[in-house]
């Protein structure tokens, strides 16, 4: 069996390693346009911050290790055309500028996603970065070590992780966000709390320009960025810019070949990670996801999901039968001492999906009040008014916000109602939670609110 894998970070590397174990005799070739494979992109902000000095700490498995197991790795080789009828891919070798065709019996598309660049005048300048690959991380760290001020465009997960990195490196930071509050993936009321808490933790070491669009960069005669202009006419100087304005899936060559693209703009797959071509699989950030709560289509590109999907694709192309049921969009991010976590639908998304969401938000101690490291945690819990079905939750605090959200994920997976969830028997001891955990407290309040309405 000849298996070709395109892309080799999370989904592609996982698919290659798992296929190797399942099909010891198969010929496996992995092509990537990247200079590295099998690395933790998620660790890049911590490399930039200087938590470790050697970027190679981020590498999970080297090309040599893959080759020793009989997986041939082709770095800097980009898939530019797919010929599904002939079962061939046209590969461009970026180093030698030549193209060649490779045959496959089974193909895995794991080409991930790339950063979105918003329309900004004079955007192509030195010291204007995006963060996706190892080289990006190296270049950003290098520049940050020689800068006084950084601008971050976009305040999603990556923007906030970089904010922490730059502040820890001693830079002044301006965070520009198009939405009225930072981290707009959360509901507005929670984003507002996050913004207030971060500003109070950071003690003026950064400023937020919300409801602002960057429209133009200024530069010097060396083509280096020197300043930023926003839509309201505000101008300020900066030494470097990182654009963190979201990502989009790398699907163009697949779409041109007739691989079906879903309503979200990512490659449509079934639960076996199969595309509309039975011998072509797609997994990771290039593939569409199913929301577990209501089976709607979504695109939430995360490394946790990419790994699971790569494994499922490998099992199925190897003749097995494994389903990937979908995602809840569970995520967690830290910025300085603040943890922000969420799962399921936000209230605004639940409304858009046709639910009648009802929510409660509680702010409580995260452990018993006499413990020396007690902190506040704010928790928002959302359910459907008609059925009582739990729909999602968001948590923010200096304590274990993600612990509460991870407890909720099980309830969403099991499609529990709020009333059912209040019966949950979760742990208690003074260093870990109050006698009634804020999550159960929120669930009780939500249950009563639903009963009254
Ligand atoms: C800074 C940062 C922090 C993150 N933090 C988290 C986190 O904390 N938690 C979390 O769950 N997720 C996190 N993510 C997201 C996570 O890294 C991605 O979801 C994950 O890497 C997706 O894996 P993938 O293999 O699908 O795609 P990618 O990682 O995008 O890899 C795809 C690879 O395919 C290559 N490629 C693209 N097109 C072609 C082509 N035509 N031919 C050949 N090769 C091609 C790309 O160059 C790339 O090397 C983070 C991402 C970044 C950038």
């Amino acid at each position: 069996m000849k298996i070709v894998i395109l892309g080799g970070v999370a989904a592609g590397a996982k698919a290659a390693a798992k296929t190797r174990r399942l099909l010891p005799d198969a010929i496996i070739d992995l092509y990537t346009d990247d200079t590295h494979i099998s690395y933790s992109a998620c660790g890049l902000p911590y490399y930039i911050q200087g938590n470790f000095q050697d970027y190679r700490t981020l590498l999970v498995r080297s090309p040599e290790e893959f080759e020793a197991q009989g997986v041939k790795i082709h770095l800097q080789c980009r898939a530019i055309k797919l010929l599904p009828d002939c079962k061939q891919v046209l590969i461009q070798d970026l180093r030698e500028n030549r193209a060649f065709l490779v045959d496959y019996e089974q193909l895995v598309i794991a080409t991930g996603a790339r950063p979105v660049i918003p329309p900004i005048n004079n955007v192509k300048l030195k010291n204007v970065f995006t963060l996706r690959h190892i080289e990006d991380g190296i270049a950003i760290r290098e520049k940050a070590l020689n800068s006084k001020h950084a601008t971050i465009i976009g305040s999603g997960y990556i923007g906030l992780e970089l904010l922490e990195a730059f502040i820890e490196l001693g830079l002044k930071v301006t965070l520009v966000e198009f939405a009225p509050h930072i981290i707009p993936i959360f509901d507005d009321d929670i984003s507002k709390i996050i913004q207030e808490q971060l500003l109070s933790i950071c003690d003026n070491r950064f400023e937020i320009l919300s409801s602002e669009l960057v429209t133009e960069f200024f530069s010097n005669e060396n083509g280096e960025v020197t300043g930023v202009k926003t839509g309201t006419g505000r101008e300020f100087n900066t030494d470097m810019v990182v654009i963190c304005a979201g990502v989009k899936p790398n699907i163009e060559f697949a779409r041109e070949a007739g691989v079906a693209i879903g309503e979200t703009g990512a490659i449509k797959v079934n639960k076996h990670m199969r595309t509309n071509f039975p011998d072509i699989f797609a997994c990771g950030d290039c593939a569409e996801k199913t929301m577990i709560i209501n089976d709607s289509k979504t695109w939430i590109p995360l490394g946790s999901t990419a790994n699971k999907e790569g494994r499922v694709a490998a099992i199925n192309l190897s003749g097995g039968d494994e389903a990937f049921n979908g995602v809840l969009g569970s995520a967690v991010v830290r910025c300085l001492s603040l943890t922000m976590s969420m799962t399921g639908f936000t209230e605004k998304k639940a409304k858009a999906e046709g639910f009648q969401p009802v929510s409660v938000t509680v702010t409580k101690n995260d452990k018993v009040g006499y413990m020396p490291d007690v902190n506040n945690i704010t928790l928002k819990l959302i359910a459907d008014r008609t059925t009582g079905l739990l729909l999602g939750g968001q948590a923010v605090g200096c304590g274990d916000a993600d612990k509460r959200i991870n407890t909720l994920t099980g309830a969403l997976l099991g499609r529990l109602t709020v009333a059912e969830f209040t019966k949950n028997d979760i742990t208690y001891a003074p260093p870990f939670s109050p006698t009634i955990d804020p999550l159960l407290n929120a669930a009780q309040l939500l249950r009563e609110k639903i009963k009254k309405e």
Side-chain angles (χ1 to χ4, degrees):
M1 170 107 75
K2 185 160 170 38
I3 293 151
V4 169
I5 298 171
L6 305 175
V9 178
K14 176 60 96 183
K18 184 76 183 168
T19 307
R20 174 75 301 155
R21 282 197 288 278
L22 294 173
L23 297 176
D25 299 325
I27 299 167
I28 307 175
D29 282 88
L30 187 153
Y31 296 87
T32 175
D33 62 7
D34 213 333
T35 50
H36 292 81
I37 54 158
S38 188
Y39 58 85
S40 167
C42 315
L44 284 167
Y46 306 100
Y47 165 73
I48 292 168
Q49 184 171 150
N51 287 0
F52 45 92
Q53 298 301 319
D54 188 343
Y55 79 84
R56 286 173 296 186
T57 307
L58 296 168
L59 308 182
V60 182
R61 196 181 296 202
S62 67
E64 292 74 25
E65 285 171 279
F66 271 106
E67 298 259 352
Q69 293 172 340
V71 178
K72 189 114 188 59
I73 304 295
H74 308 264
L75 298 175
Q76 291 181 268
C77 282
R78 178 176 294 152
I80 52 172
K81 199 165 183 59
L82 181 55
L83 308 164
D85 294 340
C86 332
K87 291 197 171 199
Q88 287 180 320
V89 193
L90 183 63
I91 302 284
Q92 185 180 12
D93 186 329
L94 302 174
R95 287 162 303 188
E96 297 176 15
N97 206 15
R98 68 183 178 103
F100 54 94
L101 282 169
V102 297
D103 299 315
Y104 65 83
E105 283 170 68
Q106 306 263 20
L107 179 73
V108 178
I109 304 176
T111 47
R114 63 181 184 278
V116 171
I117 310 288
I120 297 172
N121 286 335
N122 202 20
V123 74
K124 285 193 177 162
L125 292 174
K126 288 180 196 154
N127 305 327
V128 173
F129 305 96
T130 55
L131 180 58
R132 187 78 194 176
H133 301 287
I134 294 268
E135 287 85 353
D136 303 328
I138 294 172
I140 291 172
R141 174 163 167 79
E142 190 83 4
K143 182 62 192 164
L145 290 175
N146 297 298
S147 295
K148 290 196 168 61
H149 182 275
T151 302
I152 299 171
I153 300 177
S155 66
Y157 299 125
I158 298 175
L160 290 190
E161 287 173 349
L162 274 178
L163 176 66
E164 170 182 302
F166 290 153
I167 287 176
E168 292 294 348
L169 288 173
L171 275 72
K172 286 259 180 196
V173 187
T174 301
L175 184 60
V176 189
E177 170 56 58
F178 172 58
H181 305 292
I182 61 171
I183 197 147
I185 191 165
F186 284 72
D187 276 323
D188 290 350
D189 49 342
I190 300 295
S191 292
K192 200 165 165 251
I193 293 168
I194 292 172
Q195 182 157 325
E196 285 163 5
Q197 294 204 5
L198 266 184
L199 283 168
S200 76
I201 292 171
C202 287
D203 198 21
N204 288 333
R205 280 178 292 170
F206 81 103
E207 63 167 345
I208 297 171
L209 304 184
S210 51
S211 304
E212 282 276 22
L213 266 177
V214 170
T215 53
E216 188 173 351
F217 292 147
F218 303 116
S219 54
N220 62 18
E221 61 283 0
N222 299 325
E224 295 164 327
V225 70
T226 55
V228 174
K229 184 174 179 182
T230 69
T232 58
R234 208 189 284 239
E235 295 181 7
F236 58 92
N237 295 334
T238 196
D239 300 316
M240 62 186 294
V241 176
V242 189
I243 300 175
C244 306
V247 291
K248 59 179 171 190
N250 291 319
I251 47 97
E252 290 75 7
F253 74 98
R255 181 173 52 206
E256 276 166 23
V259 175
I261 305 301
E263 64 202 69
T264 63
I267 296 173
K268 200 171 178 171
V269 285
N270 65 14
K271 288 189 174 187
H272 292 93
M273 307 314 300
R274 249 193 195 94
T275 66
N276 54 321
F277 292 98
D279 43 17
I280 302 180
F281 294 77
C283 48
D285 284 4
C286 63
E288 191 167 75
K289 326 284 169 212
T290 300
M291 188 60 163
I292 287 174
I293 295 173
N294 63 350
D295 286 335
S296 61
K297 293 303 166 197
T298 186
W299 187 63
I300 304 172
L302 285 170
S304 45
T305 311
N307 271 285
K308 290 177 206 154
E309 290 181 347
R311 178 180 166 275
V312 169
I315 292 173
N316 293 318
L317 75 82
S318 305
D321 180 11
E322 183 86 358
F324 181 71
N325 284 319
V327 299
L328 290 167
S330 311
V332 58
V333 61
R334 184 193 74 190
C335 185
L336 301 158
S337 55
L338 200 66
T339 304
M340 298 144 261
S341 187
M342 67 182 299
T343 188
F345 288 132
T346 56
E347 200 167 359
K348 60 189 166 197
K349 183 71 179 150
K351 239 179 240 159
E353 289 289 328
F355 291 100
Q356 288 189 294
V358 52
S359 72
V360 293
T361 301
V362 297
T363 299
K364 295 274 169 194
N365 286 343
D366 66 339
K367 39 187 84 71
V368 177
Y370 51 70
M371 294 308 291
D373 55 346
V374 62
N375 273 302
N376 271 350
I377 182 169
T378 297
L379 231 151
K380 178 169 182 173
L381 199 58
I382 301 148
D384 182 58
R385 184 177 281 121
T386 322
T387 60
L389 186 72
L390 276 168
L391 297 175
Q394 295 152 66
V396 49
C398 293
D400 293 325
D402 60 323
K403 178 168 89 176
R404 276 70 192 201
I405 293 301
N406 280 336
T407 306
L408 191 58
T409 57
L412 296 186
L413 189 66
R415 300 190 178 187
L416 297 193
T417 62
V418 198
E420 286 164 337
F421 186 62
T422 53
K423 296 175 190 148
N424 201 352
D425 180 19
I426 59 179
T427 56
Y428 157 68
F432 301 100
S433 71
T435 337
I436 303 285
D437 191 87
L439 180 58
L440 282 187
N441 184 262
Q444 289 287 9
L445 292 173
L446 188 53
R447 183 187 178 191
E448 282 158 27
K449 191 169 176 181
I450 290 173
K451 262 201 229 158
K452 275 191 209 144
E453 283 187 0

